[in-house]
Amino acid sequence: MQINLHHCKAAAAELLLTLTKHQVDIALIQEPYLYKNRVAGLNDKNYTTFAASNGDKVRTCIVGKKNLNLLLLSNFSGGDITAVRMEDHSKRVTIFTSIYMPYEHPDPPGQHVELLLKEMGSTSLIIMGCDANAHHFHWGSSDTNARAISSANNTPQDEHNGP
C-alpha cells in the first residue's frame, strides 16, 4: 500500500485500522503524522514503523508487519526517503522505499535513489512508492506545475488537450 497522510492524525488512525482490517503487509507512507518530529499514530502490536531523519524533517516512513524480516537501510534513508530490506524464507531480497519529493527542491532525493539502484538494483527487487508533487492536467489535476512539464512532454499527446 502507498499513501500520503498529509501529516493528519485522523488519517494515521484510519490507516492503522485499514492495515489491520485488510491484513496489509507493508505501507509506504509520505507525510506521516508527526509529534516532535517523530512519526506518531501508527503504533500497533502487529506492525513496526521505520523512519530516518538524519537531522531533516521526517516526510516518509514505512510500516510493516512484525513477522516480516524487515531491516531499515539507514545508509539509503533520510527525511525524504525511507528504505527497508526484506529477505523472505528463500533468501530473496526485496527493497521497499517510500519517497517524498518536495516541490521546492529540483531533484530530491536523487542521490539516495541513485546509490540504492546502483548498489542493490542488480541483486534485489526494488519497489518504490512516491509523492512526486507533480501536477498536470493529463493526470487529472486541475493545474500544471513545472515539475510535471518534463514528464508530460514524454506523455502521448491528444490534439484536444494541447501540449
Side-chain angles (χ1 to χ4, degrees), residues 144-156:
T144 297
N145 65 17
R147 175 159 293 158
I149 298 300
S150 63
S151 296
N153 287 338
N154 295 323
T155 303

Side-chain angles (χ1 to χ4, degrees), residues 122-133:
S122 63
T123 60
S124 306
L125 171 65
I126 299 176
I127 297 173
M128 297 181 176
C130 178
D131 177 348
N133 277 306

